[in-house]
Amino acid sequence: ASRLGLKPDQATSRTLDAGAEVAPAFDGPGEQAVAQIAYGVIRRLESQPQTVPSVTYLQRPEVQTLVVQEVAAQYRPAQLTLDGVVKPPDIAAIVARTTDLVVRQTIDIPRILVVPRGEAKSGFKPFTLELKTLRYPAVSEDLWIQHLRTHQTEVIALGRSGAEEIRLEDVVVSALVDFDDISYDDHAELLYGLASQTVAHFRTYLSEDDTRRVLRCYQRDIAQFIHAQMQKYYWEEVDGYEVRITKGFTDLKPSAYSATEGEPVRDFRESPRDKSNMAKYLFGGFQRCLYPVQKFQAEGERKLAVILDREAMKWFKPAKGQFQIYYRDGVDHAEYQPDFVAETSDTIYMLEPKARNQMEDAEVIAKKEAATTWCVHASSHAATCGGKPWRYLLIPHDAIAENMTLLGLVAHFSG
């Protein structure tokens, strides 16, 4: 609420997230109290996409009436003054002003939930391990004695038989099934195939006894080595996906930055001398950014901010959790936050500046695919309520110059 001139307590001043003070948005405790209630009602409307599919719907007469009624029901006027006269606040006017602040300082970011349809299946494809770097020397007698002492109660059992270890492959498989994404019943054949490759590899330069000792002493490390390679061969199948819009728009997440004590907020139009430590600087002086201060990870990001502050209607660098976009990272799903979001008169852009040597990295491509899919869903939702389409741009850092236009970047790098 602080971005809108409302503090979480009683909205006594307009304090921005990074601590910048500006003039109060509302006069007196009465107006501030009404505005705070109105903002709370508006926040709850985020979760009613059927009623408010876009932030601009907040200004529709029927929605304004709904908010005014809810605020009036919650508002409790302050005690009478000594002369017994208190001018009641104009609730409708304050609601309208609060709504205008929300609309002007919000970019339509829907909350999109993609739910699998039907039964989901997953597993790992068979493959040949890369074992050249997996080399352990023969285990010394002292280390072997120590291993036996610290693991003296260790019993390796697999499946439902409860049989003790009888094969070297069992040592490998018993460690692999400890990973949460591996089921023995579903992957037994694959696991024993990988274990056989591993045992055969050690036998090429170790005796049978030394192979057994190495497998027992370094069991967990060997399993982690194999498990890491398995991630490239993970597969998942579902009957399809259902897209649900759970919020028509979302409030901007609080954004907090740490800075060196005594270090001034720098003008974002000026490039610092030490560009290798760009992330330590705090930049301000924006005209169209939805946050008063921002940090940049590279000079290319600062240059892009100059372009956006000149040409976009509004822009910002999203905080964690703003989008809830997830991409596949092995068997896991990691959260992705784009570097920039900017709104123009006809489009909302998701922009990701990246070092040129990282443009083809698997993780970068996975993030791009997830973000592009999100933009497709967001654009489909926007089309139902008169909103703006979304586009994703992956841009090399060294291709950004301050004298470029946003449309020029779009023409070259839109995905």
Side-chain angles (χ1 to χ4, degrees), residues 369-405:
E369 292 175 350
T372 300
T373 300
W374 187 96
C375 287
V376 170
H377 296 321
S379 297
S380 297
H381 169 69
T384 66
C385 57
K388 299 174 183 179
W390 284 75
R391 295 184 69 177
Y392 180 81
L393 275 71
L394 178 62
I395 312 170
H397 276 164
D398 58 9
I400 303 172
E402 292 183 21
N403 62 353
M404 297 181 72
T405 66

Side-chain angles (χ1 to χ4, degrees), residues 34 44 90 98 103 122 128 132 134 145 161 177 188 206-207 209 267 294 323-324 358 368 410:
V34 172
R44 289 194 293 275
D90 186 339
T98 304
V103 171
S122 62
T128 301
K132 292 181 180 179
L134 187 67
I145 293 173
S161 64
V177 296
L206 295 173
S207 67
D209 285 343
D267 187 336
Q294 298 274 237
F323 279 86
Q324 296 191 357
Q358 297 177 342
K368 177 182 177 179
V410 171

Side-chain angles (χ1 to χ4, degrees), residues 278 297-305 340 353 396-398 400:
M278 180 69 72
Q297 299 301 312
E299 175 70 356
E301 289 192 9
R302 186 197 65 80
K303 292 178 180 179
L304 182 56
F340 291 84
H397 276 164
D398 58 9
I400 303 172

Side-chain angles (χ1 to χ4, degrees), residues 28 41 46 166 197 253 264 269 287 337 345 369 405:
V41 174
E46 289 182 13
I166 56 174
Q197 294 179 47
K253 298 288 184 181
R269 300 173 189 85
Q287 296 298 315
Q337 295 301 330
S345 59
E369 292 175 350
T405 66

Side-chain angles (χ1 to χ4, degrees), residues 170-336:
D170 291 338
V171 182
V172 179
V173 174
S174 67
L176 286 172
V177 296
D178 285 340
F179 290 98
D180 293 338
D181 57 333
I182 296 178
S183 163
Y184 177 80
D185 292 337
D186 295 334
H187 303 118
E189 183 177 356
L190 169 68
L191 296 179
Y192 273 102
L194 298 175
S196 295
Q197 294 179 47
T198 305
V199 171
H201 166 72
F202 285 119
R203 282 173 172 159
T204 61
Y205 72 95
L206 295 173
S207 67
E208 191 73 7
D209 285 343
D210 283 337
T211 296
R212 183 179 298 275
R213 291 182 180 185
V214 164
L215 290 172
R216 292 293 296 271
C217 282
Y218 301 105
Q219 181 186 28
R220 290 179 176 82
D221 292 338
I222 292 170
Q224 289 174 352
F225 180 88
I226 297 172
H227 184 255
Q229 293 193 36
M230 291 175 66
Q231 308 313 301
K232 301 177 184 179
Y233 301 93
Y234 177 80
W235 61 267
E236 185 176 78
E237 292 180 356
V238 294
D239 294 336
Y241 293 94
E242 177 184 351
V243 179
R244 300 175 185 172
I245 306 298
T246 60
K247 290 186 177 182
F249 65 99
T250 51
D251 190 44
L252 298 193
K253 298 288 184 181
S255 181
Y257 297 106
S258 60
T260 304
E261 186 175 359
E263 180 77 24
V265 175
R266 294 173 173 266
D267 187 336
F268 79 108
R269 300 173 189 85
E270 299 177 2
S271 178
R273 291 183 179 180
D274 185 8
K275 297 178 180 59
S276 62
N277 290 309
M278 180 69 72
K280 74 177 183 180
Y281 300 121
L282 202 60
F283 291 92
F286 310 111
Q287 296 298 315
R288 301 179 182 181
C289 183
L290 297 184
Y291 292 117
V293 294
Q294 298 274 237
K295 277 195 171 186
F296 307 121
Q297 299 301 312
E299 175 70 356
E301 289 192 9
R302 186 197 65 80
K303 292 178 180 179
L304 182 56
V306 172
I307 297 171
L308 297 180
D309 207 65
R310 182 178 65 234
E311 301 193 9
M313 295 172 57
K314 42 192 169 180
W315 66 274
F316 72 106
K317 288 177 65 67
K320 185 177 181 180
Q322 184 68 64
F323 279 86
Q324 296 191 357
I325 299 174
Y326 296 93
Y327 66 98
R328 185 173 302 287
D329 183 12
V331 298
D332 298 322
H333 288 81
E335 184 177 359
Y336 167 56

